[in-house]
Amino acid sequence: MTRTALRAGARAAEQAVARTVEAVAAASAPPPGAGDWLPGQALGPAGLRRFFLFRPAGVRNDERLPLLVMLHGCGQTAAAFARSTRMNRVAAQGRFLVLYPEQDRAANPQGCWNWYDTRSRHADAEAATLMAAIDQACLLYPVDRDAVALAGLSAGASMAALLAVTYPLRFCALAMHSGVPPGSAHSAAGALAAMHGRHPPVVALATGNLPPLLVIHGRDDGVVSPRNAHAAAEQWAAALGAAQAPPRQIQRGTRRPMTVTDFRRGRRLCVRLCEVEALGHAWSGGAAGMLFSDEKGPDASRLIGRFVATQGANARAAKR
């Protein structure tokens, strides 16, 4: 091989390494916007998981703010999920903290949370590890422990639901975006069937203690069947003794319309189901050009922000 060929090969290798380093750095780069992007790690039964916490600018240590825990979907990192959802922008305006745990690729090569693996107890260990991250955030940052909420996309939504069912008294609200309801699967094969809507949930949820639920799902979702959205809403409503109200159509500006169905027990909102027209498997109203993000849908981050703020206020009022 000639020296010219060797030099060309070396340059190509250097460029490939540089591109890889840039891609890794970009995946973990802090999202844009005012506020602090704080790294951390938590150790639990499933091992070590890193996380990032967004803190709005100007937060004092003597105040207590709500905390929203955001669980990403498969193929995403915590930073990519933050950029896609732009939840930090909502948090800065609404003045709340956001915790972004990140799945370890050694635990799942696709970066999915193992929400379904209850037969081997891996799901329970992962849920306990996420609770360790939440507890650490509550210890280190000015968190109002009566106003901690969960949200997630796809596998993150399903893991968030598992957390809410396992630790219901720890959370004031749950938001599932394009997820599968609890009890639908206990293995990887069962998870695939459940994602296609073939396995309705078989777990009877404990009544009374579950936090209010917001479900957002695209009607054109080809990855997680929209049937799961109805199953989650109906499962939750049955556990809370809530009755379904007539659905209503909502459209803001040129964004995709959605059908909203509430389930109430008396005046209390227990479940809200938002079905978005022409939305696939993507975060509704997310940043353009991002994986699993659709900028044309209703702004899911703002919908979630308003929902959890209301439920957090209700939870604090109930404890006074």
Side-chain angles (χ1 to χ4, degrees), residues 14-25:
E14 290 174 359
Q15 291 170 356
V17 170
R19 286 194 297 270
T20 301
V21 170
E22 289 174 1
V24 171

Side-chain angles (χ1 to χ4, degrees), residues 56-105:
V59 173
R60 305 184 312 274
N61 285 331
D62 63 346
E63 60 181 320
R64 290 291 175 262
L65 298 184
L67 174 68
L68 176 61
V69 182
M70 290 278 286
L71 298 180
H72 62 76
C74 299
Q76 294 180 313
T77 63
F81 192 42
R83 288 196 298 273
S84 171
T85 62
R86 296 179 290 194
M87 185 61 80
N88 292 353
R89 178 187 61 181
V90 179
Q93 294 171 351
R95 203 165 177 75
F96 59 88
L97 304 167
V98 190
L99 181 68
Y100 296 92
E102 186 168 279
Q103 177 63 300
D104 193 319
R105 294 300 173 115

Side-chain angles (χ1 to χ4, degrees), residues 170 183 229 262 271 303 320:
R170 292 293 306 275
D262 288 341
V271 180
L303 291 173
R320 291 195 183 111

